């Protein structure tokens, strides 16, 4: 998430609120950007300013451009950061519920932590309207580590929406081997759930090696079958790395033969951050090197009538025959382009690049009109 550094004064707790540049007293729990403390203080949760203030209201001192939009939901932390937790105009918003995970994937881009934020997520939801909750993601860490807390979030969403809400939950699916956990999350009738679950290999030992947990492959499969019993939508996510790129077609065949009830397959380029940066030499591979394998895997999906897309890989790095499968998938706050991309005729719909990645492909070339 986008982050601004500063100093929090007059508070020993994190503060979540809606950002505004005008002190509208009708906006509750507002965080006001200002140069001096407003006269009317009712409903103000905090101030963002560039100077010290003579007030007992919590305020956050920054020394850089705020560059946050009106109505964005932000979280000011006691550690001295201001994070955008809900972008008011983005279509890629997600609730980040925990740092914790029961897997240790060698290419996980998430920096490991020890905190959970389920209650903070409820606070964020209280600032949103029903329309904003028509489509939302839930991610971590591993969101299902605390099933009851995750169920509370889903329950809250189901109570405040007017129509069906599309919820996409990123999870390793291992805890779904207990069908009680599945039923606990799928009982909310107004929620249209999709579970994004990784399968990194068609070979159990290889998948377990990538995940860092022995037995994870079989746990995930049992979880997938339990989700199918409850008629849930499932997206299989295949992150492409050095360990599995040669076997993408085999993974597709495995999916077709063993879990044909899935609704979607996402082939995903690497984000070199967190463990992926630490293990760079072990896992790194340029998409240009697996063009053929990815083409054959997509072709096999078509043969098997499996819906598939390509995430996080720019048009210029895939076989031209499958570029229509590439999706604009990177979250707005961490999507970027190289200067050379400015003149590209396909930039508008391209996935772009991860700002967070420690390196980028040397084969990125713009498409230009001839």
């Amino acid at each position: 998430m986008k982050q601004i550094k500063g100093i929090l004064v007059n508070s020993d707790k994190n503060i979540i609120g809606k950002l505004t540049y005008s002190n509208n007293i009708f906006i509750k729990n507002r965080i006001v950007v200002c140069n001096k403390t407003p006269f009317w203080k009712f409903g103000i949760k905090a101030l963002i300013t560039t100077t010290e203030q003579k007030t007992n209201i919590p305020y956050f001192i920054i020394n850089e451009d705020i560059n946050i939009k009106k109505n964005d939901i932000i979280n000011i932390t006691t550690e001295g950061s201001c994070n955008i937790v809900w972008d008011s105009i983005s279509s890629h918003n997600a609730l980040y519920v925990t740092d914790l995970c029961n897997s240790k994937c060698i290419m996980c881009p998430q920096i490991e932590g020890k905190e959970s934020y389920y209650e903070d997520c409820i606070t964020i939801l209280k600032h949103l309207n029903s329309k904003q909750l028509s489509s939302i993601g839930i991610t971590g860490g591993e969101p299902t580590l605390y099933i009851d807390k995750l169920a509370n979030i889903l329950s809250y969403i189901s109570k405040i929406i007017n129509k069906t809400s599309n919820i996409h939950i990123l999870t390793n699916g291992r805890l779904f081997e207990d069908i009680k956990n599945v039923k606990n999350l799928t009982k909310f009738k107004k929620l249209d759930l999709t579970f994004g679950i990784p399968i990194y290999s068609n070979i159990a030992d290889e998948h377990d090696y990538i995940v860092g947990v022995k037995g994870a492959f079989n746990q995930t499969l049992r979880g997938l079958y339990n989700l199918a019993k409850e008629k849930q939508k499932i997206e299989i996510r295949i992150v492409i790395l050095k360990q599995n790129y040669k076997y993408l077609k085999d993974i597709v065949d495995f999916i077709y033969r063993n879990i044909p009830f899935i609704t979607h397959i996402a082939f995903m380029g690497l984000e070199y951050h967190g463990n992926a940066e630490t293990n760079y030499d072990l896992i790194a591979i340029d998409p240009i090197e697996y063009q053929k394998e990815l083409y054959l895997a997509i072709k096999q999906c078509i043969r098997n009538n499996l819906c598939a897309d390509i995430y996080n890989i720019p048009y210029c790095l895939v076989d031209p025959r499958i570029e229509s499968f590439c999706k604009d998938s990177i979250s707005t706050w961490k999507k970027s382009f190289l200067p050379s991309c400015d003149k590209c005729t396909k930039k508008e719909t391209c996935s772009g690049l991860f700002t967070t990645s420690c390196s980028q492909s040397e084969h990125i070339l713009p498409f230009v009109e001839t």
Side-chain angles (χ1 to χ4, degrees):
M1 63 188 73
K2 185 176 180 180
Q3 187 177 92
I4 295 172
K5 293 296 185 180
I7 300 172
L8 179 60
V9 182
N10 293 338
S11 180
D12 59 359
K13 295 180 180 179
N14 293 352
I15 301 171
I16 297 175
K18 182 177 290 187
L19 188 104
T20 177
Y21 289 85
S22 61
N23 188 33
N24 186 338
I25 62 174
F26 297 105
I27 300 176
K28 297 180 180 179
N29 298 316
R30 63 191 181 277
I31 297 176
V32 184
V33 180
C34 58
N35 292 322
K36 63 179 182 178
T37 304
F39 179 79
W40 297 104
K41 303 177 181 65
F42 176 77
I44 294 178
K45 208 161 188 183
L47 307 174
I48 295 181
T49 180
T50 57
T51 59
E52 293 185 11
Q53 302 292 308
K54 294 181 179 180
T55 180
N56 59 357
I57 297 175
Y59 63 94
F60 188 68
I61 303 176
I62 61 172
N63 57 7
E64 59 181 294
D65 185 3
I66 182 69
N67 197 25
I68 299 177
K69 298 182 298 301
K70 175 184 175 181
N71 294 328
D72 284 357
I73 310 301
I74 62 175
N75 180 16
I76 300 174
T77 73
T78 56
E79 285 80 17
S81 65
C82 174
N83 308 307
I84 300 176
V85 293
W86 192 278
D87 188 319
S88 56
I89 65 171
S90 175
S91 59
H92 293 111
N93 284 304
L95 297 176
Y96 182 83
V97 298
T98 184
D99 296 328
L100 304 171
C101 189
N102 55 349
S103 294
K104 303 292 181 183
C105 298
I106 59 176
M107 72 302 177
C108 180
Q110 181 58 46
I111 296 175
E112 187 175 359
K114 300 180 180 179
E115 302 295 331
S116 290
Y117 311 97
Y118 295 90
E119 295 304 319
D120 286 349
C121 289
I122 294 291
T123 302
I124 294 168
L125 291 170
K126 290 179 179 178
H127 290 84
L128 305 175
N129 58 45
S130 180
K131 184 178 180 180
Q132 289 175 297
L133 293 176
S134 61
S135 179
I136 183 172
I138 297 179
T139 186
E142 175 49 49
T144 66
L145 282 181
Y146 299 97
I147 287 288
D148 290 340
K149 292 182 179 181
L150 180 56
N152 286 340
I153 291 175
L154 297 179
S155 176
Y156 186 87
I157 296 172
S158 69
K159 290 175 181 177
I160 63 176
I161 59 173
N162 297 323
K163 299 180 180 179
T164 300
S165 180
N166 298 305
I167 312 292
H168 193 287
I169 302 176
L170 292 179
T171 169
N172 58 42
R174 291 171 52 204
L175 294 177
F176 291 151
E177 68 172 343
D178 183 347
I179 199 166
K180 293 179 182 178
N181 290 334
V182 176
K183 291 182 175 181
N184 200 3
L185 298 184
T186 59
K187 60 188 177 184
F188 306 104
K189 303 304 179 184
K190 293 172 70 176
L191 303 184
D192 184 8
L193 301 178
T194 299
F195 295 89
I197 296 176
I199 293 288
Y200 299 127
S201 176
N202 56 309
I203 302 170
D205 286 345
E206 187 66 25
H207 175 92
D208 291 353
Y209 167 74
I210 294 171
V211 168
V213 178
K214 189 170 181 59
F217 184 80
N218 290 329
Q219 285 182 317
T220 298
L221 283 183
R222 288 192 289 267
L224 290 169
Y225 296 145
N226 283 336
L227 286 169
K229 288 178 183 177
E230 297 300 313
K231 298 180 174 59
Q232 296 302 302
K233 295 179 181 178
I234 302 168
E235 174 187 72
I236 296 298
R237 295 195 153 204
I238 306 170
V239 178
I240 307 171
L241 58 160
K242 190 181 294 183
Q243 282 72 16
N244 66 4
Y245 80 95
K246 293 181 180 179
Y247 314 109
L248 297 180
K249 181 175 175 290
D250 295 335
I251 298 173
V252 172
D253 284 336
F254 176 86
I255 291 170
Y256 177 68
R257 294 190 178 101
N258 295 278
I259 45 175
F261 47 78
I262 60 101
T263 52
H264 184 246
I265 298 175
F267 296 93
M268 308 186 68
L270 281 163
E271 176 184 2
Y272 292 108
H273 190 61
N275 285 350
E277 182 175 359
T278 302
N279 298 320
Y280 182 87
D281 292 337
L282 175 67
I283 65 172
I285 182 168
D286 194 303
I288 208 78
E289 296 181 50
Y290 56 73
Q291 273 193 348
K292 177 182 176 182
E293 289 78 7
L294 183 54
Y295 166 75
L296 292 175
I298 290 291
K299 188 174 180 181
Q300 193 67 3
C301 287
I302 296 171
R303 286 174 175 166
N304 293 335
N305 198 29
L306 295 171
C307 179
D309 287 306
I310 300 169
Y311 292 171
N312 311 339
I313 304 177
Y315 290 131
C316 56
L317 298 181
V318 301
D319 187 302
R321 291 172 291 181
I322 57 170
E323 73 169 34
S324 62
F325 290 85
C326 295
K327 302 302 177 184
D328 184 0
S329 53
I330 298 176
S331 299
T332 308
W333 68 271
K334 58 179 176 180
K335 175 181 175 179
S336 65
F337 291 93
L338 298 180
S340 60
C341 298
D342 289 344
K343 56 186 177 181
C344 182
T345 58
K346 299 183 180 182
K347 179 180 177 180
E348 187 174 342
T349 58
C350 184
S351 72
L353 305 166
F354 284 107
T355 304
T356 48
S357 282
C358 64
S359 70
Q360 305 292 354
S361 171
E362 297 178 355
H363 300 276
I364 295 172
L365 292 172
F367 293 91
V368 295
E369 294 181 355
T370 56

